Amino acid sequence: MYYILDKDLKPCGVLSLDGKGCKFYGDDRNVQIADDTGKLWNDTLTLSVPYGYPETDYMTEGYHLLKQGDNGRWYCFRINNWTDGTIGPVHFKTIQAVNLCIWDLAHTQVVPTTLTKANSTQAFEHNLQKSDWQIGTDNFYGGGYDVEFTLGDNAQSMTDTLTKTYSVEIDAYVELQNGQVAKKLIDIEPQLGEVTGRRIEYRRNMTGITRSGSDDQLFTKLYVYGGTPDGADSPISIASVNSGQDFLVDDDANDTYNAGKKYLEGFTQNEDITDPAGLLTWGKQQLALYNHPKYNYTVDVAYLGWNPNLGDTIEVLDFEMQPPLTLSARVIQKVESEANPQSNQVVIGEFVEIIAVTPSDIWKLQAAASQAQQSAEQAKSYRIEIFMPDGTDFSDGSSQKRIIARVFLGKDNVTALISPDSFAWQKINSDGSHDLDWEAAHTGVGNVITVGDEISGSTIRCNLINGKGDPILSADETDAAYFATLPLTNSSDDVNKRVSQYAQVDSVNGDIYWSQEYTGPKQSENGGWQSFNLTRTDLDGNYKDQMWVIAGGHGTSFGIEHVGTDIYIWSAYLDTTKSTLNGAHYWGVARFKYVPGKTLLFGDSSTDFQSLDGTYYRVNYDEKNDYVQLSSGFANFYVCKRSDIEQNLFKPIYIGAASDCGFDGNSQTFQTSCLDFPYIYFCSGDVDGHDQRIMYCYDIQSRSPVYKIVFTFDKETINQIGDYNEPEAVSVYYDETGKKWVIIGFSWGNEDSSDYQRTNQLFRINEHNRDESTYYFIQNDQITTGF
């Protein structure tokens, strides 16, 4: 509902949707406190009314509309534009209005003067002295600034200036008494709104959130200047406290956003700072504001499910950014409509609060920044590096060695995004000629080739040709579906209530093998070594049988192998003849037969055990490719031939690390991994919930990330139970049709909060291909062989 006020601000009519007055439609109030350039204030209203009502005649010059906001305050809008139109035979009038404070101040000339070291209250009081608006709340001091009010300035233009100078936010409203406007108030706050603790996630509602980005103010090299001291001819710089340089650079940002090319140069100045050390501190703050693109999020309130207030602080989760972005942002704009509340929107964004000043005498720097930006937009500059992980010496008796190419965009490894037929391999003979036959044989083979001593004395090059990327392997949380639950009880007299550490699906026999750390009586009766038990269920999670592996560790990873009708387990195992309970440990890799009801001890004659180097490795077996995957330090991966492991040889043919995917061992907790060559799947997420629950897919052949899933448990495909969640298992199986499925396991709380038994569930993920067109400009790399 809108109340119509006349030229004396007295009520004279009503606009209503419920028949109590003139109808209206298409109303749109747009109020804003900032954009990506800094603080500003604007508050406008537009709506339409049909002909045929007395109130229609009031939609013109000198009239006002009064609206109550969500915060309970009354906002008065002065009609400043009006248009008559028709749709078929229907006549209507459309008006535009502006907050009465803006209209009044735009028609008020300020008293010329210069205020010296004025605080925000002094400056705004002088600005408002000829108007009938008064300061309501002034909770912001803002420091002392010299402010000049010159002849010809109006109070509204100076309000814009003061808003930026003192970095404040404004709310202008009226107070009513007996239905009449009694006061006109303007609040001056350092920050409107509240810290709500609420979150939104980009793309959580596909039609609900739109992200818009801008790099107009992206700088990776920032010249920083201050004020001009008394008696000086030029402003101070940071050179005296910054190794003689009057600029700051951010190499990481330049690699990330500019592919490591020439710095993107900008300039900023704070004329109120004349101390070099203070200016340096301020300059670093400014670089942090400019060293990345700015993003605003436009959110449909109807999909959001709640209506935030202007200025509210909200967490924004954007897992599609690389690296994933979690930022605390604010509602900087609201669009509201009574007639069509489905169109209500809020804009949540980052903004620079201090505007960079660009004096005329440094226009050359501005031009250089513009040229650098233009160059960056004209082409994506990738680089490709190639290496030989097996060495370049064929005298060791090896007949074949690999050459691997990896593609980078800045610091990011994007090899997995490149179509195999885009890699162009070249062999240049010692006389400078190309070996055309060799190059033809290595066309379309991808980023990994195998060569022999035929390349001796040659130069091998690789670059990328322009072309469309092939479909890329991918999955997300919506591709998951419930698979099975480990029974909370079973027929055994030794039920384990702990977290399930790992699980493997045996699709041939229709079984699932689950592991749990075991601390029951069988452990204490057999030396007290760290142990686990294996539970076998059918694919529906119905209990079949168990066995116990004493001194096998806590079951964090294992692999299964089919031998006829038998199942063999590959696992880490502790050599109890060398280890001590409280001292040194000597680990190895074991292969043993699954025997229902058996308690397996180290040294059992049915167990194959290889000590390797005594290091603890988490073990997984890739039956399809006959490879053994080991991980040490919980985040370093080694792919070994089975034949080498069986000969007690630690000779990895591929080596990789979780850090290649952006995994940070300092802030993330590695859980477990599995191999389906060339892909390694691994998951992370601590028991205390301090880090995200993530599953990664990693190509160890090219040491490239393929995709990752950050689980949020709000997609209705994986439903959390209780207040506990921990990713514990990741494995792969192929069904009877040959289709591949990825298994992810979670340990939840329990429906019964008094029961410490964990609910262990598996979900299977359907990987798929997504089309992505990518075109490249590549700097090539080469290896010259000299043997």
Side-chain angles (χ1 to χ4, degrees):
M1 178 181 294
Y2 295 88
Y3 294 95
I4 306 173
L5 307 182
D6 64 16
K7 297 180 181 182
D8 295 322
L9 298 181
K10 294 181 179 180
C12 61
V14 175
L15 302 181
S16 174
L17 297 173
D18 57 10
K20 295 180 179 179
C22 177
K23 295 180 181 179
F24 66 92
Y25 55 91
D27 64 318
D28 187 321
R29 182 196 177 190
N30 192 329
V31 57
Q32 187 174 15
I33 57 173
D35 62 13
D36 59 3
T37 67
K39 296 290 181 72
L40 58 85
W41 172 55
N42 199 24
D43 191 3
T44 61
L45 173 69
T46 181
L47 58 77
S48 297
V49 297
Y51 275 27
Y53 294 84
E55 291 85 352
T56 306
D57 295 335
Y58 300 146
M59 298 296 102
T60 188
E61 170 269 330
Y63 285 82
H64 307 79
L65 294 172
L66 187 68
K67 172 184 175 61
Q68 189 171 31
D70 294 333
N71 57 6
R73 288 179 168 177
W74 290 93
Y75 294 90
C76 188
F77 296 87
R78 167 82 179 216
I79 296 174
N80 61 343
N81 284 285
W82 51 97
T83 303
D84 293 276
T86 60
I87 300 178
V90 179
H91 285 73
F92 63 92
K93 187 181 290 285
T94 298
I95 63 94
Q96 294 176 344
V98 65
N99 190 298
L100 180 58
C101 181
I102 296 175
W103 196 91
D104 281 349
L105 296 186
H107 294 79
T108 302
Q109 290 293 302
V110 300
V111 177
T113 190
T114 297
L115 300 181
T116 302
K117 301 300 180 184
N119 61 37
S120 60
T121 301
Q122 294 168 328
F124 274 95
E125 283 181 343
H126 182 86
N127 190 50
L128 299 175
Q129 64 177 308
K130 291 179 61 178
S131 75
D132 54 357
W133 288 83
Q134 57 185 298
I135 296 176
T137 301
D138 181 8
N139 289 328
F140 190 70
Y141 175 76
Y145 293 87
D146 293 342
V147 181
E148 184 177 5
F149 295 84
T150 61
L151 185 67
D153 287 336
N154 65 60
Q156 176 54 30
S157 66
M158 284 306 300
T159 296
D160 290 338
T161 299
L162 298 179
T163 299
K164 291 177 171 62
T165 299
Y166 293 97
S167 190
V168 295
E169 296 170 5
I170 288 175
D171 189 25
Y173 55 98
V174 297
E175 286 188 354
L176 305 182
Q177 187 174 350
N178 298 323
Q180 303 278 335
V181 173
K183 286 185 179 181
K184 300 178 180 179
L185 300 173
I186 178 170
D187 286 356
I188 304 167
E189 301 272 10
Q191 182 170 307
L192 297 175
E194 298 178 350
V195 178
T196 66
R198 299 247 192 190
R199 292 189 168 177
I200 66 168
E201 179 185 335
Y202 179 57
R203 290 196 185 277
R204 179 174 178 178
N205 300 99
M206 292 295 288
T207 59
I209 303 177
T210 301
R211 181 179 71 191
S212 59
S214 171
D215 65 357
D216 288 339
Q217 295 291 315
L218 168 61
F219 303 123
T220 58
K221 180 179 181 180
L222 193 62
Y223 290 84
V224 182
Y225 284 86
T228 303
D230 293 340
D233 296 327
S234 59
I236 68 163
S237 76
I238 59 174
S240 62
V241 291
N242 189 46
S243 302
Q245 305 292 341
D246 60 349
F247 57 82
L248 298 169
V249 298
D250 189 327
D251 288 320
D252 287 341
N254 200 55
D255 286 342
T256 301
Y257 301 114
N258 195 36
K261 297 188 298 182
K262 179 184 178 295
Y263 291 112
L264 301 175
E265 295 182 326
F267 178 92
T268 189
Q269 183 177 22
N270 189 328
E271 296 181 344
D272 297 303
I273 300 177
T274 55
D275 172 56
L279 183 65
L280 178 62
T281 300
W282 178 82
K284 291 178 179 178
Q285 295 171 349
Q286 300 314 295
L287 183 60
L289 296 173
Y290 291 112
N291 66 359
H292 59 284
K294 302 297 188 301
Y295 288 94
N296 285 345
Y297 296 78
T298 302
V299 184
D300 295 341
V301 174
Y303 290 97
L304 191 58
W306 44 279
N307 190 11
N309 292 316
L310 191 68
D312 280 355
T313 299
I314 296 171
E315 289 185 357
V316 178
L317 306 181
D318 191 339
F319 298 126
E320 295 194 8
M321 291 192 70
Q322 297 296 327
L325 174 70
T326 301
L327 61 88
S328 181
R330 300 184 58 224
V331 177
I332 61 176
Q333 184 177 357
K334 288 192 70 173
V335 179
E336 300 174 311
S337 173
E338 290 187 28
N340 184 21
Q342 292 294 317
S343 66
N344 288 0
Q345 290 184 333
V346 293
V347 176
I348 299 170
E350 295 182 278
F351 55 89
V352 178
E353 296 188 358
I354 301 175
I355 301 302
V357 180
T358 308
S360 59
D361 60 351
I362 51 88
W363 65 268
K364 292 182 180 179
L365 290 178
Q366 197 172 45
S370 177
Q371 291 171 1
Q373 180 178 342
Q374 180 178 344
S375 176
E377 292 174 347
Q378 286 177 345
K380 289 183 177 179
S381 182
Y382 290 72
R383 62 183 172 86
I384 186 168
E385 68 176 35
I386 61 177
F387 63 101
M388 297 182 69
D390 308 319
T392 60
D393 183 8
F394 284 86
S395 64
D396 61 1
S398 299
S399 59
Q400 297 288 299
K401 296 184 184 296
R402 289 165 297 151
I403 303 180
I404 299 176
R406 293 190 294 181
V407 184
F408 292 84
L409 175 58
K411 296 188 299 183
D412 296 331
N413 185 328
V414 295
T415 311
L417 305 181
I418 311 301
S419 168
D421 57 10
S422 291
F423 288 90
W425 292 95
Q426 297 177 340
K427 176 174 178 281
I428 296 93
N429 300 318
S430 57
D431 61 1
S433 62
H434 281 258
D435 187 335
L436 299 180
D437 292 337
W438 186 94
E439 292 177 0
H442 291 81
T443 298
V445 297
N447 69 305
V448 181
I449 62 173
T450 302
V451 299
D453 58 6
E454 78 279 359
I455 68 169
S456 177
S458 303
T459 296
I460 304 299
R461 290 179 181 169
C462 183
N463 56 23
L464 292 187
I465 58 175
N466 291 339
K468 180 179 178 180
D470 279 347
I472 302 165
L473 188 67
S474 181
D476 59 39
E477 190 171 349
T478 62
D479 295 310
Y482 170 77
F483 191 65
T485 299
L486 179 65
L488 298 176
T489 59
N490 59 52
S491 58
S492 166
D493 59 356
D494 198 356
V495 177
N496 193 337
K497 294 179 178 291
R498 290 177 176 270
V499 163
S500 175
Q501 297 288 338
Y502 201 70
Q504 283 265 0
V505 175
D506 171 13
S507 61
V508 175
N509 298 305
D511 293 331
I512 306 174
Y513 292 83
W514 313 67
S515 64
Q516 296 166 280
E517 183 178 6
Y518 174 76
T519 57
K522 295 179 179 62
Q523 181 202 34
S524 57
E525 292 168 2
N526 291 282
W529 306 103
Q530 188 181 47
S531 307
F532 68 92
N533 67 278
L534 285 167
T535 300
R536 179 164 61 173
T537 70
D538 63 20
L539 296 183
D540 294 322
N542 298 309
Y543 174 80
K544 284 190 171 182
D545 43 48
Q546 282 183 293
M547 76 175 290
W548 290 262
V549 184
I550 306 302
H554 65 282
T556 189
S557 178
F558 63 88
I560 63 174
E561 177 188 358
H562 295 81
V563 181
T565 58
D566 295 328
I567 292 293
Y568 280 77
I569 307 294
W570 288 78
S571 170
Y573 218 116
L574 188 67
D575 184 343
T576 59
T577 66
K578 295 181 180 180
S579 300
T580 61
L581 283 174
N582 299 313
H585 287 167
Y586 297 89
W587 291 89
V589 176
R591 174 181 176 272
F592 56 86
K593 181 180 176 181
Y594 179 84
V595 180
K598 182 172 183 174
T599 301
L600 184 70
L601 306 179
F602 178 79
D604 188 287
S605 59
S606 66
T607 301
D608 298 324
F609 177 80
Q610 307 298 335
S611 61
L612 299 181
D613 54 6
T615 299
Y616 172 66
Y617 295 106
R618 299 188 179 199
V619 180
N620 183 256
Y621 178 62
D622 178 359
E623 186 175 31
K624 179 167 65 74
N625 297 288
D626 207 22
Y627 286 150
V628 178
Q629 182 245 315
L630 309 175
S631 62
S632 70
F634 306 123
N636 297 307
F637 305 121
Y638 308 94
V639 175
C640 304
K641 294 179 180 179
R642 171 183 177 152
S643 58
D644 287 336
I645 296 294
E646 290 176 333
Q647 296 177 51
N648 201 27
L649 298 174
F650 180 66
K651 293 175 56 179
I653 56 175
Y654 297 96
I655 297 175
S659 58
D660 292 334
C661 298
F663 174 88
D664 183 355
N666 294 319
S667 59
Q668 294 179 261
T669 300
F670 180 86
Q671 288 285 359
T672 192
S673 62
C674 77
L675 174 67
D676 182 51
F677 187 81
Y679 302 116
I680 285 182
Y681 298 84
F682 65 97
C683 59
S684 67
D686 197 6
V687 63
D688 64 8
H690 82 270
D691 56 346
Q692 294 175 332
R693 280 70 180 104
I694 305 177
M695 188 197 83
Y696 298 84
C697 177
Y698 169 59
D699 184 340
I700 195 170
Q701 192 172 31
S702 63
R703 297 194 63 165
S704 305
V706 180
Y707 70 86
K708 70 178 180 181
I709 302 174
V710 181
F711 296 98
T712 56
F713 311 122
D714 57 6
K715 306 296 190 300
E716 299 182 356
T717 54
I718 300 179
N719 296 312
Q720 179 174 333
I721 299 172
D723 58 0
Y724 176 95
N725 61 62
E726 187 177 10
E728 289 287 359
V730 61
S731 57
V732 169
Y733 80 94
Y734 289 80
D735 64 21
E736 65 278 2
T737 68
K739 176 175 175 51
K740 173 183 171 181
W741 296 92
V742 180
I743 292 291
I744 182 73
F746 291 96
S747 286
W748 309 119
N750 196 279
E751 297 90 340
D752 181 357
S753 60
S754 64
D755 188 350
Y756 68 91
Q757 163 87 51
R758 293 302 180 197
T759 299
N760 299 297
Q761 291 186 329
L762 302 181
F763 299 80
R764 71 178 188 178
I765 296 172
N766 180 21
E767 286 186 326
H768 56 85
N769 294 328
R770 57 183 172 86
D771 291 327
E772 183 168 315
S773 300
T774 311
Y775 294 84
Y776 311 99
F777 170 76
I778 292 291
Q779 304 166 4
N780 64 19
D781 195 11
Q782 66 183 38
I783 289 179
T784 301
T785 59
F787 31 78

